[in-house]
Amino acid sequence: MDNFLDSIWESIETFLTGIVTFMDKIFSPLEILGPGFVIFIFALIVVGITRLIGRFYETKRFVILKKEFEHWQSIRVEAMKHPDSEKGKALAKNIDQGELNKAYYDYFFEGLLKNFITNVLPLLLMAAYITTIYSPQTLLKRFGKEWVFSFTFGSNYQVNASSLLWYVVCVLFSFIGFAIIKYLFKKQNESKLSA
């Protein structure tokens, strides 16, 4: 069993090493603009990819669990409409204790797993790549300084932005930017439909 797991891990490691080498070759010409710009491009790309994957990727199980949850939720709503409110509450409570809670938790955890795969995992993989490629030692060797940015406030206070900190800031701005773009497109489509 150990040999099997070792061979799987070696395959994964080879695959990830190939991706790192490929990304280095593609994005190394952009390094003349500085590490801050390259990290911003990486953050923008990974956030764009997570938005696309999150929008279009759904497992069969997620769709089935969503339908099941909505089915039991609609039955519960119908039970609450019963003319006798006490009987309606009792029916709804039975539905809650039975199938609705199970359907909700299954649906919730499948959605959580989907969110982890489509959002968190790509962001963490890119963070690992950036902290490896733009470590303080690598930044010093390639760009002559250990930090992506360094700010001095007054004479005693200096802020050094590492590659990970700059990546987090860029990811936040990218999410905000994509949300603004989505809002503007939605607003534009609404104005076209109303005209």
Side-chain angles (χ1 to χ4, degrees):
M1 183 68 171
D2 287 340
N3 291 337
F4 175 71
L5 293 175
D6 286 344
S7 67
I8 289 176
W9 178 249
E10 287 174 11
S11 300
I12 292 170
E13 186 179 14
T14 302
F15 175 73
L16 291 175
T17 303
I19 288 176
V20 167
T21 305
F22 177 72
M23 288 177 65
D24 281 346
K25 286 181 183 177
I26 287 179
F27 291 102
S28 62
L30 294 177
E31 286 186 350
I32 60 170
L33 300 172
F37 180 76
V38 177
I39 292 171
F40 176 74
I41 294 297
F42 283 145
L44 197 62
I45 289 170
V46 77
V47 169
I49 289 171
T50 61
R51 298 296 88 209
L52 283 174
I53 293 172
R55 187 172 203 167
F56 296 112
Y57 173 73
E58 283 189 346
T59 62
K60 274 186 183 179
R61 187 169 194 274
F62 183 76
V63 172
I64 290 168
L65 290 173
K66 182 177 181 181
K67 286 180 184 176
E68 185 179 332
F69 171 71
E70 289 171 351
H71 168 74
W72 287 107
Q73 179 69 20
S74 66
I75 290 175
R76 184 187 188 283
V77 169
E78 287 299 317
M80 290 297 291
K81 291 179 183 176
H82 195 277
D84 182 8
S85 64
E86 290 300 317
K87 193 172 186 178
K89 287 180 184 177
L91 287 171
K93 185 177 179 182
N94 287 341
I95 292 169
D96 283 347
Q97 290 175 349
E99 295 296 323
L100 185 60
N101 283 347
K102 180 185 179 307
Y104 172 75
Y105 286 115
D106 289 346
Y107 175 56
F108 171 77
F109 284 115
E110 187 71 20
L112 191 66
L113 183 61
K114 176 188 176 249
N115 185 44
F116 180 77
I117 291 170
T118 59
N119 286 320
V120 177
L121 190 60
L123 291 170
L124 289 178
L125 287 172
M126 185 58 76
Y129 170 76
I130 286 172
T131 55
T132 302
I133 297 302
Y134 295 110
S135 66
Q137 298 82 13
T138 309
L139 286 171
L140 186 61
K141 190 185 337 180
R142 288 185 184 177
F143 302 102
K145 55 184 180 177
E146 292 183 52
W147 309 104
V148 176
F149 293 110
S150 185
F151 302 102
T152 304
F153 296 106
S155 60
N156 296 333
Y157 191 68
Q158 183 174 4
V159 176
N160 298 320
S162 67
S163 58
L164 181 60
L165 175 65
W166 179 241
Y167 172 70
V168 170
V169 169
C170 291
V171 165
L172 291 175
F173 279 119
S174 297
F175 273 115
I176 292 169
F178 275 100
I180 291 170
I181 290 169
K182 183 179 179 180
Y183 173 77
L184 292 175
F185 274 117
K186 186 178 178 182
K187 196 82 160 163
Q188 185 181 22
N189 287 339
E190 287 175 358
S191 65
K192 285 182 182 178
L193 291 175
S194 64

